Amino acid sequence: MESFDVAVIGGGNAALCAAIAAYENGASVVVLERAPKEHRGGNSAFTGGAFRIAYRGVDDLLTLVPDLHPDEISNSDFGTYDEDQFFEEVIAMSGYRADADVLETVVSQSLPTMQWLRQHGVRFMPIYGRQSFKVDGKQKFWGGLTVEVSGGGLGLMERLYAKAEQLNMDLRYDARATALSREGDAWIIESATGHAKTSIRAKSVILATGGYHANVLWRAKYLGPNWDLAKVRGSRYNTGDGISLALDAGATPHGNWTGCHAVFYDLNAPPFGDINLLNQQKNYFTLGIVVNADGKRFVDEGLDFRNYTYSGMGARVLAQPGAVAWQIFDAKSIDLLPDEYRVKHATRITADTLEELAARLDGINQRAFLQTVQDYNRSIDQAVPFNPAVKDGRSTAGLSIPKSNWANPIDTGPFVAYAVTCGITCTYAGVKVNTQGQVLDDSDHALPGLYAAGEMVGGLYYVKYAGGVGLTAGSVLGRISGKHAATHAGSVPPAV
Ligand SMILES: Cc1cc2nc3c(=O)[nH]c(=O)nc-3n(C[C@H](O)[C@H](O)[C@H](O)COP(=O)(O)OP(=O)(O)OC[C@H]3O[C@@H](n4cnc5c(N)ncnc54)[C@H](O)[C@@H]3O)c2cc1C
């Protein structure tokens, strides 16, 4: 049987960060990726590549984006997003349930870990297109999310795989881990490629197989009614395998098992993520209104920046008649919409008048829809100036469901509607880990040599999710667990 110091199960961001860190710390490493090579990279490959990091100002950002042009610096207001703010926002969004020590590690290591990624070839840039608006002549960033990977999630995974290949790492595709057992002081991992089965031995194992969003039975079982109807935004290979393997090995289930991240998603998107048809999410509902088939609004579209509300919108639309809704914009807001609204494959319906638009929204109660728009338009206090880069307080008054910010009348043609349903991004539960990424049992004892990182770690997100934490948490805990796993295996870092 082949033996390794560290076996990494999974092939996304968390897995590759873990594998590279383990290798750097002297370990022999094998990576088992369930997907075939052409679909490697898990959900991470589907991401926009946005990382949430704590930074004190432009000098910190320059360590990630040293090639920022002086004109870009003088024309941008990057603001600050310090560690306290990052920690407080995420823990508050979890209802103060998140594992504080693990979250603190993610926050404090966010910038150094991104700097480490940069050393390994990942390139970052400011998210001008999606996270800033022009205010008083400057691009003002909002929502604590300021940098993304050049090339998005695909760019991230290409860079990480290029690094792993450069290190001659043993990367195995079509290799689905199916069983994990303890033998002496090592783990035995069984994996299957089609009908062929292989066993390997490793002193440390890092599980990074993502959550269970692509497991239709688990979705119905844990998330509840109708979740079998959700479309999967990303990888079809994340069916909870690593969670099962860890639970069978003695890990304790942890986190929000009935919680997931799910967004407004194109009604006609394919059932699983397709890397050639990205940008099916429709997250800038903050700039318009959203109506259901009864012609009624059902959310406060302007409650907060979209980064803090978008992850719950999938559940909201799933609860509407037919699990369908339409986002409505008029000529005044169309130009503010980002790329995800401009892709060719969007289900976009346009009309010069609201009456024509109503007639084209398949299955909507047209009269109720027109009444909703009229009531909404009349309820806005237009004395308050519109400013999409801050919570502007330009709100409605007297509606049963308010719009708390960014309320603009929908009154100027042409009008455009985007038909949406629920797209599930990832799930919130999995196993419990400590700040070293070690998997814990139900007495909080570490299982020797067993680690987890990424989406399959429970206890960070409850009910809500702050955009950009997933990649950051995966990289931070992946890197830490890789180092710890190498040390556990007795590996000695090479002399530099
Ligand atoms: C469309 C989309 C956009 C997103 N945008 C962002 C963003 O901009 N910023 C952000 O922070 N987060 C974003 N997310 C969330 C983000 O994808 C995740 O938080 C993060 O990528 C998870 O990384 P991971 O390594 O844990 O899992 P993944 O990247 O999903 O990797 C899991 C891996 O495990 C493999 N695997 C599964 N089962 C097995 C098995 N039995 N054996 C071997 N391998 C197995 C899979 O094939 C896959 O390679 C987005 C998600 C989606 C779907």
Side-chain angles (χ1 to χ4, degrees):
M1 193 188 298
E2 290 176 284
S3 283
F4 296 88
D5 294 329
V6 177
V8 178
I9 317 293
N13 171 55
L16 269 281
C17 287
I20 293 168
Y23 184 95
E24 286 185 329
N25 284 280
S28 59
V29 181
V30 63
V31 176
L32 304 183
E33 158 64 304
R34 175 180 168 182
K37 188 172 180 183
E38 62 274 23
H39 296 305
R40 71 186 182 186
N43 257 4
S44 305
F46 285 87
T47 67
F51 277 77
R52 186 168 289 259
I53 52 158
Y55 64 95
R56 290 158 300 184
V58 71
D59 287 345
D60 280 346
L61 294 178
L62 279 168
T63 65
L64 299 178
V65 199
D67 42 1
L68 260 184
H69 194 273
D71 288 348
E72 287 178 304
I73 296 176
S74 59
N75 294 332
S76 306
D77 177 0
F78 294 110
T80 61
Y81 190 64
D82 64 26
E83 292 187 13
D84 290 344
Q85 202 179 346
F86 185 168
F87 180 86
E88 188 50 42
E89 280 188 351
V90 176
I91 201 145
M93 286 178 76
S94 76
Y96 296 93
R97 290 185 177 93
D99 291 340
D101 48 356
V102 176
L103 178 59
E104 199 167 27
T105 304
V106 169
V107 169
S108 66
Q109 291 305 305
S110 60
L111 183 62
T113 304
M114 299 314 108
Q115 290 163 341
W116 175 80
L117 282 174
R118 198 187 135 71
Q119 281 165 23
H120 290 307
V122 178
R123 291 289 168 263
F124 294 97
M125 57 189 199
I127 317 179
Y128 280 112
R130 290 180 292 146
Q131 290 294 144
S132 76
F133 288 111
K134 199 160 198 165
V135 181
D136 298 333
K138 279 196 169 194
Q139 288 299 136
K140 182 169 172 51
F141 282 77
W142 51 274
L145 195 52
T146 307
V147 289
E148 65 185 345
V149 175
S150 171
L154 263 183
L156 170 69
M157 294 318 299
E158 271 166 20
R159 294 291 185 147
L160 291 177
Y161 272 105
K163 184 71 199 181
E165 281 159 7
Q166 183 201 331
L167 297 173
N168 273 328
M169 212 175 271
D170 193 337
L171 303 170
R172 301 185 184 182
Y173 300 103
D174 265 320
R176 181 178 189 175
T178 53
L180 181 66
S181 56
R182 190 87 183 138
E183 196 180 90
D185 63 353
W187 294 93
I188 308 298
I189 304 116
E190 285 171 32
S191 68
T193 302
H195 293 297
K197 293 199 165 41
T198 315
S199 296
I200 54 174
R201 180 193 300 273
K203 292 181 198 146
S204 299
V205 173
I206 303 169
L207 297 164
T209 60
Y212 59 87
H213 68 258
N215 185 328
V216 69
L217 278 180
W218 280 31
R219 283 211 309 269
K221 182 173 166 187
Y222 295 117
L223 302 180
N226 281 352
W227 280 98
D228 42 346
L229 303 178
K231 298 195 184 213
V232 170
R233 294 181 64 199
S235 166
R236 65 189 307 155
Y237 301 103
N238 293 16
T239 50
D241 287 10
I243 301 174
S244 288
L245 296 177
L247 296 180
D248 290 349
T252 193
H254 192 53
N256 186 191
W257 280 82
T258 53
C260 69
H261 181 301
V263 301
F264 286 130
Y265 196 63
D266 195 285
L267 183 63
N268 294 309
F272 293 104
D274 179 339
I275 213 80
N276 298 310
L277 292 175
L278 290 176
N279 275 327
Q280 305 266 11
Q281 75 283 3
K282 297 288 168 274
N283 286 333
Y284 291 77
F285 48 87
T286 47
L287 298 171
I289 60 167
V290 192
V291 293
N292 64 16
D294 294 333
K296 303 265 172 62
R297 291 175 54 245
F298 56 94
V299 290
D300 178 347
E301 301 90 345
L303 186 64
D304 205 336
F305 288 120
R306 72 99 199 169
N307 296 348
Y308 303 117
T309 58
Y310 76 125
S311 63
M313 292 300 159
R316 303 299 296 273
V317 64
L318 209 50
Q320 304 310 307
V324 63
W326 291 268
Q327 297 183 1
I328 313 288
F329 307 95
D330 77 351
K332 299 192 300 298
S333 45
I334 288 173
D335 286 347
L336 295 174
L337 296 173
D339 287 356
E340 65 202 45
Y341 287 82
R342 300 181 196 290
V343 289
K344 267 196 194 149
H345 47 272
T347 306
R348 181 188 301 103
I349 304 125
T350 53
D352 288 333
T353 67
L354 280 167
E355 288 72 18
E356 280 171 44
L357 188 73
R360 289 182 192 165
L361 303 184
D362 194 14
I364 202 168
N365 179 329
Q366 296 182 34
R367 273 178 65 164
F369 165 67
L370 292 171
Q371 189 63 50
T372 296
V373 176
Q374 202 178 81
D375 293 346
Y376 165 76
N377 285 351
R378 283 191 185 138
S379 71
I380 300 166
D381 178 0
Q382 296 196 47
V384 179
F386 170 70
N387 181 349
V390 295
K391 288 210 261 178
D392 62 4
R394 184 172 155 116
S395 60
T396 59
L399 297 182
S400 56
I401 300 174
K403 183 170 180 190
S404 302
N405 293 285
W406 312 300
N408 274 327
I410 307 227
D411 58 5
T412 310
F415 300 92
V416 59
Y418 289 85
V420 289
T421 186
C422 169
I424 184 167
T425 317
C426 54
T427 47
Y428 289 165
V431 298
K432 191 171 187 183
V433 300
N434 61 17
T435 54
Q436 300 301 323
Q438 292 174 289
V439 174
L440 304 179
D441 68 12
D442 58 7
S443 305
D444 281 350
H445 294 133
L447 299 175
L450 190 62
Y451 300 81
E455 243 168 41
M456 63 166 286
V457 168
L460 277 180
Y461 324 115
Y462 289 81
V463 185
K464 287 181 176 175
Y465 168 92
V469 179
L471 286 175
T472 302
S475 291
V476 168
L477 282 177
R479 181 187 182 202
I480 290 174
S481 61
K483 181 173 183 192
H484 204 275
T487 308
H488 173 86
S491 315
V492 180
V496 205

